[in-house]
């Protein structure tokens, strides 16, 4: 069969007979490596441990204790889950199963009814039987006709067979009597899946499309050691407690009504208050830094987005155009940059006006699939804290530094400390996604890098993460659950000024082309509110809290008037305050204020009324403190004015 050359991570190159497996290569290196290895990564693609390698390539041997080894374990566990479900529910139909960020799932359609949480124990027991049997997980090949007979009656597996058939053959995974045609890399035997747990069930559209049937997704996780599973269960409990959707429901922040449409949140008064405080804060901050805020339409002529390139590059994420019947096609905007370009172009600009910083809390719309929508963090209608700077080419580095300084000041006020910078470059091989101009890309990427280096900031570089029109600095922020997401971005753009023929009059009296900088400091109002809700676990700092003070009269008939006086004084200082005058016991009302995570609870009774004082209890604390109204107001004012920073 000939020889192939295999390159290892250390750069060493060895020759092997074509058809050699990762297992055989691992055994040729060391017995201990062979015992730990579970798969290979060949030319960047995960391959089965016993799959033959037939061409030259780079090999990384995947061990069971690595992140990708865990992926292989989860893929295997998903197959064991499906086989167990098939034995328990013979009429069940199967979609696809695969790994997730923290485990695995399998999509199912049980003709006899849904899988309930009360069924988890028997499902796990059946999985344990299959694990104990240590069945071989075979990679099998069937003719298309054989495969279709095998899955007859199951519309989802039938569809997979039709899609995956190549030259009349279909590859599947077989363990015992069960065959699945969603082919992934797995371990060799079921016995390797020893520590696992079924976690939950949820609805999921077949292939993520709302036009397809709704299936039931059964989630689970698996690990090599019990202590790792225990740690994951603790993490998931924390995730449930921090889930902004759960907190949003408890604190009445927002809701999504399927009668209105998925991904279209309603902001309730509490959530709207948090959003309004963020909006006022960021507008005031940006104005102080020289940004001019505008309002622009959420609709524009489709030609505008064709000119900008969004129609070519983001068409799948845009809503269908609206035909106005007279040849005009209007589009719900997916981005604000073309709108701000129109603002720049409305007047003839001079170099004396630059940098011209235009900002907006701009509403946008994205055509997201129903299966991808998540609370406030993934929606179809969003309001972006957006801004665009039009600058002279010689001022690029100075403007980038200014924007980074603005961003770090905002992060300080919100007490965001766990983040890192990513320089996002184009993939030079991907000329379909990225505008094909090598000189422009090299120039813009070097400018961003120079600004970061000059400020002495640490960063990592990522190829293929740039916008289609230019490179960017992304701020990767650690979420409350240990994940990472892009919160802020600064993007350099030489392309759109060319496409829209932008110009300004320079000091020499001639026309010059400006450079454009796209920047977003706190993402969308939706995503940022979701992020903060989970970071704070719903206990918002005083300056952000929807209700800052709750006043509880000991007896309404005796102390309500004093409570009302207090409320009026606090409200006059723009404090968000209410009185709990329900006919409930005082202890219950105090506990309820804690459940609602109100920063300050004031109890007023005979002594407080007589002495003009308040008894203060801070959220999360058991002890109370008696103080004068003036002292309380001073403490509260310091808390709010300092943005409730921890050092204060």
């Amino acid at each position: 069969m000939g020889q192939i050359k295999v390159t290892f991570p250390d750069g060493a190159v060895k020759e092997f007979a074509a058809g050699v497996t990762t297992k055989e290569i691992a055994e040729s290196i060391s017995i201990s490596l062979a015992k730990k290895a579970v798969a290979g990564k060949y030319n960047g693609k995960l391959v089965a441990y016993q799959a033959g390698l037939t061409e030259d390539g780079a090999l990384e041997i995947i061990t069971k204790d690595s992140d990708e080894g865990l992926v292989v374990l989860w893929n295997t566990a998903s197959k064991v889950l499906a086989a167990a479900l098939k034995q328990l529910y013979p009429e069940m139909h199967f979609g696809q199963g695969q790994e997730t960020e923290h485990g695995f799932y399998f999509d199912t359609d049980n003709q006899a009814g849904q899988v309930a949480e009360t069924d988890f124990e028997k499902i796990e027991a059946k999985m344990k039987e299959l694990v104990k049997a240590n069945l071989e997980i075979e990679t099998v090949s069937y003719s298309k006709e054989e495969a279709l007979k095998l899955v007859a009656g199951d519309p989802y597996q039938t569809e997979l067979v039709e899609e995956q058939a190549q030259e009349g053959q279909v590859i599947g995974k077989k363990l015992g009597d069960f065959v699945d045609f969603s082919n992934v890399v797995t371990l060799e035997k079921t016995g390797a899946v020893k520590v696992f747990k079924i976690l939950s069930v949820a609805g999921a559209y077949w292939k993520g499309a709302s036009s397809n049937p709704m299936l039931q997704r059964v989630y689970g996780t698996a690990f090599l050691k019990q202590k790792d599973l225990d740690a994951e269960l603790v993490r998931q409990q924390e995730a449930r407690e921090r889930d902004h959707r759960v907190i949003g429901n408890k604190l009445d922040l927002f809701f999504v009504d399927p009668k209105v449409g998925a991904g279209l949140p309603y902001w309730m008064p509490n959530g709207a208050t948090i959003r309004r405080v963020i909006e006022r804060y960021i507008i005031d901050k940006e104005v102080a830094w020289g940004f001019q805020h505008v309002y622009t339409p959420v609709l524009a002529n489709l030609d505008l987005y064709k000119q900008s390139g969004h129609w070519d590059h983001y068409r799948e994420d845009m809503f269908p155009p609206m035909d106005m019947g007279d040849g005009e096609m209007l589009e719900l905007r997916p981005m604000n940059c073309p709108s701000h370009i129109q603002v720049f172009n409305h007047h003839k600009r001079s170099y004396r006006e630059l940098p011209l910083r235009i900002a907006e809390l701009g509403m946008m719309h994205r055509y997201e699939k129903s299966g991808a929508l998540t609370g406030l963090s993934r929606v179809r209608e969003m309001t972006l804290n957006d801004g665009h700077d039009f600058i002279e080419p010689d001022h690029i580095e100075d403007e980038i530094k200014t924007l980074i300084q603005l961003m770090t000041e905002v992060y300080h006020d919100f007490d965001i400390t766990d983040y890192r910078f990513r320089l996002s470059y184009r993939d030079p091989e991907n000329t379909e996604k990225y505008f094909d101009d090598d000189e422009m890309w090299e120039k813009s990427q070097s400018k961003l890098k120079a600004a970061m280096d000059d400020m002495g900031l640490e960063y990592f570089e990522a190829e293929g993460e740039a916008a289609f029109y230019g490179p960017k600095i992304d701020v990767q922020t650690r979420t409350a659950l240990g994940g990472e997401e892009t919160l802020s971005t600064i993007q350099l753009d030489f392309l759109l000024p060319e496409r829209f023929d932008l110009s300004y009059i320079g000091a020499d009296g001639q026309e010059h082309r400006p450079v454009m900088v796209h920047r977003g400091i706190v993402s969308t109002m939706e995503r940022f509110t979701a992020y903060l809700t989970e970071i704070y676990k719903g206990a918002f700092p005083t300056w952000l809290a929807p209700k800052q003070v709750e006043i509880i009269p000991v007896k309404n008939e005796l102390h309500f008037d004093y409570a009302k006086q207090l409320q009026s004084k606090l409200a006059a200082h723009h404090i968000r305050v209410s009185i709990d005058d329900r006919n409930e016991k005082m202890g219950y009302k105090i506990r309820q204020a804690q459940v609602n995570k109100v920063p300050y609870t004031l109890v007023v009774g005979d002594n407080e009324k007589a002495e003009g004082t308040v008894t203060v209890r801070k959220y999360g604390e058991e002890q109370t403190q008696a103080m004068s109204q003036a002292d309380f107001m001073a403490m509260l004012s310091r808390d709010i004015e300092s943005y409730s920073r921890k050092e204060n």
Side-chain angles (χ1 to χ4, degrees):
M1 292 180 63
Q3 299 287 108
I4 62 170
K5 292 180 180 180
V6 176
T7 303
F8 294 90
D10 63 359
V13 179
K14 293 185 180 180
E15 287 195 355
F16 295 91
V20 66
T21 66
T22 301
K23 181 178 183 179
E24 291 168 340
I25 293 175
E27 289 171 343
S28 74
I29 297 172
S30 74
I31 298 299
S32 60
L33 176 62
K35 288 181 178 179
K36 292 193 297 181
V38 294
K41 195 171 185 180
Y42 205 58
N43 291 332
K45 182 180 178 182
L46 205 61
V47 295
Y49 198 36
Q50 291 187 316
L53 309 178
T54 58
E55 59 184 20
D56 294 347
L59 175 67
E60 179 184 350
I61 295 175
I62 304 301
T63 56
K64 59 185 177 183
D65 55 357
S66 67
D67 289 344
E68 286 174 305
L70 202 54
V71 168
V72 176
L73 174 64
W74 288 337
N75 282 335
T76 308
S78 75
K79 303 300 182 190
V80 176
L81 167 63
L85 289 170
K86 187 64 176 177
Q87 289 191 17
L88 291 169
Y89 310 101
E91 301 304 314
M92 181 173 277
H93 296 159
F94 292 89
Q96 292 175 298
Q98 64 181 55
E99 85 283 353
T100 66
E101 187 178 359
H102 299 288
F104 59 90
Y105 70 79
F106 220 103
D107 287 342
T108 65
D109 186 0
N110 187 8
Q111 304 304 293
Q114 299 281 10
V115 172
E117 288 190 16
T118 52
D119 298 326
F120 289 178
E121 191 173 328
K122 71 177 181 181
I123 294 171
E124 289 173 354
K126 181 59 67 175
M127 289 177 69
K128 287 176 182 177
E129 290 179 15
L130 296 174
V131 168
K132 186 176 181 181
N134 200 23
L135 301 173
E136 184 176 353
I137 303 175
E138 304 175 74
T139 300
V140 291
S141 178
Y142 295 93
S143 69
K144 181 179 175 181
E145 291 73 19
E146 290 174 325
L148 288 173
K149 287 181 181 178
L150 202 60
V151 299
D154 187 327
Y156 313 109
Q157 289 288 305
T158 297
E159 188 172 329
L160 290 175
V161 168
E162 293 282 2
E163 290 175 353
Q164 296 178 14
Q166 294 185 2
E167 298 180 357
Q169 294 294 118
V170 189
I171 303 297
K173 291 289 182 179
K174 184 175 187 294
L175 56 158
D177 296 329
F178 179 74
V179 180
D180 170 56
F181 288 99
S182 52
N183 187 31
V184 293
V185 175
T186 65
L187 299 171
E188 296 178 79
K189 293 189 175 183
T190 60
V193 185
K194 294 178 181 177
V195 181
F196 58 87
K197 188 168 183 63
I198 304 302
L199 299 172
S200 62
V201 289
Y205 289 112
W206 171 232
K207 294 185 175 180
S210 58
S211 56
N212 286 338
M214 174 72 78
L215 303 184
Q216 186 178 46
R217 182 164 289 179
V218 183
Y219 287 96
T221 193
F223 289 90
L224 297 174
K225 298 177 181 178
Q226 184 64 42
K227 68 179 182 65
D228 294 328
L229 174 59
D230 293 341
E232 173 60 17
L233 296 179
V234 169
R235 189 205 65 79
Q236 294 202 14
Q237 178 60 32
E238 178 74 4
R240 285 190 290 272
E241 292 175 0
R242 288 188 181 272
D243 190 327
H244 77 277
R245 295 166 295 180
V246 175
I247 296 172
N249 183 55
K250 288 181 178 177
L251 300 185
D252 201 22
L253 303 182
F254 73 96
F255 70 91
V256 178
D257 189 337
K259 289 182 290 186
V260 175
L264 301 172
Y266 279 71
W267 294 78
M268 295 297 286
N270 286 341
T273 298
I274 295 168
R275 172 174 172 164
R276 185 167 59 252
V277 173
I278 295 170
E279 289 178 342
R280 287 173 175 171
Y281 165 87
I282 199 65
I283 290 173
D284 289 346
K285 181 70 70 175
E286 290 176 345
V287 168
W289 278 71
F291 282 90
Q292 301 179 54
H293 265 257
V294 299
Y295 296 99
T296 59
V298 298
L299 284 169
N301 194 296
L302 179 61
D303 290 341
L304 189 68
Y305 300 112
K306 289 182 177 180
Q307 185 175 358
S308 69
H310 289 103
W311 183 248
D312 289 336
H313 292 274
Y314 289 110
R315 187 181 310 180
E316 291 184 358
D317 296 321
M318 297 170 66
F319 278 92
M322 290 173 272
D323 189 343
M324 305 308 292
D326 56 359
E328 183 181 28
M329 302 292 286
L330 292 183
E331 177 67 36
L332 282 168
R333 70 176 172 194
M335 301 284 188
N336 301 311
C337 31
S339 299
H340 292 181
I341 286 172
Q342 301 309 306
V343 173
F344 177 88
N345 243 356
H346 186 61
H347 297 299
K348 196 69 176 177
R349 303 294 181 177
S350 162
Y351 73 96
R352 293 187 180 90
E353 297 178 76
L354 307 186
L356 181 63
R357 298 171 177 143
I358 297 171
E360 179 179 11
L361 293 177
M363 183 180 288
M364 310 183 306
H365 294 81
R366 303 279 176 85
Y367 186 71
E368 298 277 8
K369 292 182 178 179
S370 297
L373 299 170
T374 309
L376 291 177
S377 59
R378 196 77 178 265
V379 292
R380 286 174 171 158
E381 178 184 273
M382 66 217 74
T383 300
L384 179 65
N385 163 229
D386 208 359
H388 296 88
D389 301 10
F390 299 86
I391 60 176
E392 297 178 81
D394 292 343
H395 295 170
I396 289 174
E397 291 181 36
D398 289 340
E399 191 65 14
I400 296 300
K401 293 174 187 177
T402 296
L403 292 173
I404 291 174
Q405 290 166 356
L406 167 60
M407 186 215 77
T408 53
E409 186 173 302
V410 171
Y411 278 30
H412 181 249
D413 289 346
F414 282 96
D415 198 28
I416 299 170
T417 58
D418 194 355
Y419 60 89
R420 59 182 184 148
F421 293 99
R422 180 180 75 189
L423 283 184
S424 299
Y425 301 145
R426 67 157 175 171
D427 175 359
E429 302 299 321
N430 191 345
T431 55
E432 182 177 336
K433 177 180 178 181
Y434 298 111
F435 184 66
D436 192 11
D437 185 334
D438 291 340
E439 182 181 355
M440 181 274 285
W441 282 100
E442 291 301 323
K443 180 180 179 181
S444 54
Q445 289 177 178
S446 65
K447 289 285 187 181
L448 287 186
K449 191 175 189 303
M452 296 291 286
D453 289 340
D454 197 43
M455 295 182 75
L457 296 172
E458 293 184 4
Y459 57 85
F460 69 102
E461 298 170 304
E463 191 175 273
E465 294 293 338
F468 76 87
Y469 46 73
K472 53 183 178 167
I473 299 170
D474 289 321
V475 185
Q476 301 300 108
T477 313
R478 184 69 59 184
T479 68
L481 304 179
E484 192 176 68
E485 65 179 33
T486 302
L487 184 60
S488 305
T489 186
I490 301 170
Q491 305 171 0
L492 197 54
D493 184 357
F494 288 83
L495 175 60
L496 292 190
E498 289 285 344
R499 287 194 167 182
F500 285 90
D501 194 26
L502 302 186
S503 66
Y504 65 93
I505 304 300
D508 58 1
Q510 302 299 310
E511 287 193 349
H512 298 271
R513 185 80 70 205
V515 176
M516 207 173 156
V517 182
H518 309 242
R519 48 102 286 194
I521 303 298
V522 295
S523 185
T524 67
M525 293 302 102
E526 291 76 12
R527 179 167 288 186
F528 193 52
T529 302
Y531 167 80
L532 292 178
T533 301
E534 295 181 351
I535 286 289
Y536 297 136
K537 211 171 182 177
F540 292 93
T542 308
W543 74 283
L544 272 176
K547 184 190 295 182
Q548 296 167 319
V549 178
E550 182 88 275
I551 303 173
I552 299 176
V554 175
K555 292 183 178 179
N556 288 334
E557 62 273 19
L558 298 177
H559 310 122
F560 180 80
D561 288 345
Y562 179 58
K564 191 68 177 175
Q565 292 171 17
L566 277 173
Q567 182 187 38
S568 297
K569 286 183 180 180
L570 292 168
H573 287 83
H574 307 291
I575 303 302
R576 298 184 288 277
V577 55
S578 65
I579 299 173
D580 189 345
D581 60 353
R582 292 175 298 167
N583 188 26
E584 299 283 357
K585 292 181 179 179
M586 188 177 68
Y588 172 82
K589 291 194 280 189
I590 291 173
R591 286 193 299 274
Q592 197 61 39
Q594 294 291 296
V595 168
N596 292 334
K597 305 179 189 292
V598 180
Y600 292 94
T601 302
L602 305 183
V603 177
V604 294
D606 289 339
N607 291 339
E608 290 81 11
K609 180 179 178 180
E611 298 172 9
T613 60
V614 292
T615 296
V616 183
R617 177 174 175 174
K618 291 184 179 181
Y619 170 74
E621 296 183 3
E622 292 291 334
Q623 66 218 46
T624 60
Q625 183 180 2
M627 61 177 66
S628 68
Q629 292 184 32
D631 286 346
F632 172 68
M633 178 54 83
M635 178 179 70
L636 182 60
S637 297
R638 285 195 302 272
D639 188 357
I640 294 170
E641 289 167 6
S642 68
Y643 299 110
S644 309
R645 294 189 185 104
K646 290 178 180 178
E647 60 263 32
N648 292 288

